[in-house]
Amino acid sequence: MTVMLHPVHFVVGEDDFLAERATQNIIAQVSPAAEVTTLRAGDVTEGELLQATSPSLFAEERVVVIKDTDLAGKEPTELLLQAAVDPAPGMTLIIVHSGKGRNKSYVQKFRKVAEVHAADPLNQRDRQGWVMNEFRSHGIRPTPDVVGALLESVGSDLRELASAIAQLVADTKDASGTNSEITVADVRAYYTGVAEVSGFDIADQAVAGRTDRALASTRRALQLGISPVAIAAALAHKVGDIAKLYQTRGNPDQVARTIGMNPYVAKKTMQIARGWSGDAVSRAVIIVAELDAEVKGQGGDPDFAIEDAVRRIAQLAA
């Protein structure tokens, strides 16, 4: 049974990657022969918008994507709304809007005349489900610890997570081109090559008290040109997790639900945090706060500041 595609789609939300994904998925459902035109509402003139959304002389199938609708003025937005209410034959209209901006009042009007696709930023719990589904779209059913390891390693950026998942799937195919189960070891092996970009590998070693390994990784990262700001951000994130959990006892799954953390990350962090005292946590928080200022131009040499902070944090944990 063929499902008729709605002629008007409203992609609304502040996550650019999810908005792009939704737009691509809609376009993929239209005929491959359809012509795709993409315009930015904040830049397009009323005449260009009117021409793009008017009926075609030959009634050929086409897709018109209007991005940044939240940046458009009142007149272009009114024209776009009219086109959405009465779309031209053969046209699939995709309107992309952040949900905010100066014409926020039009959001509900567009919702009423279009098929709505949400592109809202995900919270921690939703992000776990998204990663699980992303793996499944590649034919992989990951275990929760694999999802947790990936989130801990890569971070929260969906574009980076999607890229990492695609690469992991590609890297774990056997000679026949099929995938076996992806493990935490696979994630760590993949992340060895990219961990220092975000600094989480360095931060993991530092908060665990592995001073020599943390410093060696730091020096290697700096040699490769990794941004001190990125390493500082990872250290701050890890120290923040330690601060949340160093006094916490109980079931990691329940703790994770309470504070909105991945269960795998919560369990691992609780184990490390038990070795931290309140005084050490307070001092580490001060170190990362000072480091943030130093790497952003308010101190001396950022490379030296990073090494010094990593050493001091690791010594506090040792």
Side-chain angles (χ1 to χ4, degrees), residues 239 279-292 312 316:
V239 168
D279 179 63
V281 168
S282 297
R283 290 163 66 186
V285 168
I286 293 171
I287 289 170
V288 295
E290 292 174 344
L291 177 63
D292 181 70
R312 291 163 65 195
L316 286 171

Side-chain angles (χ1 to χ4, degrees), residues 69-74 77 97 100-107:
T69 308
D70 45 300
L71 301 178
K74 182 177 180 180
T77 306
H97 196 296
K100 296 188 175 182
R102 55 185 172 182
N103 60 21
K104 183 181 177 181
S105 60
Y106 282 88
V107 169

Side-chain angles (χ1 to χ4, degrees), residues 227-245:
S227 167
V229 175
I231 300 174
L235 282 169
H237 179 84
K238 286 293 179 182
V239 168
D241 284 349
I242 296 293
K244 290 178 186 175
L245 296 174

Side-chain angles (χ1 to χ4, degrees), residues 131-177:
V131 169
M132 188 80 71
N133 289 331
E134 188 72 8
F135 269 115
R136 287 174 176 167
S137 72
H138 290 277
I140 301 293
R141 297 183 68 84
T143 57
D145 59 342
V146 166
V147 173
L150 188 70
L151 284 166
E152 183 184 22
S153 297
V154 178
S156 61
D157 187 274
L158 297 185
R159 194 183 304 277
E160 291 183 10
L161 285 165
S163 177
I165 291 168
Q167 190 62 52
L168 270 169
V169 172
D171 288 349
T172 54
K173 286 183 178 179
D174 58 25
S176 66

Side-chain angles (χ1 to χ4, degrees), residues 245-246 248-250 252 267 269-277:
L245 296 174
Y246 80 97
T248 302
R249 300 293 184 269
K267 182 177 180 180
T269 306
M270 286 173 69
Q271 292 171 344
I272 295 172
R274 290 190 187 107
W276 282 73
S277 66

Side-chain angles (χ1 to χ4, degrees), residues 9 17 27 32 34 38-39 48 59 64 80 94 116 153 176 181 220 230 245 263 270 291 314-315:
H9 298 264
F17 178 73
I27 293 173
T38 301
L39 302 171
E48 290 170 334
V64 178
L80 191 54
I94 304 174
V116 179
S153 297
S176 66
E181 181 181 353
R220 176 61 175 159
L245 296 174
M270 286 173 69
L291 177 63
Q315 289 172 347

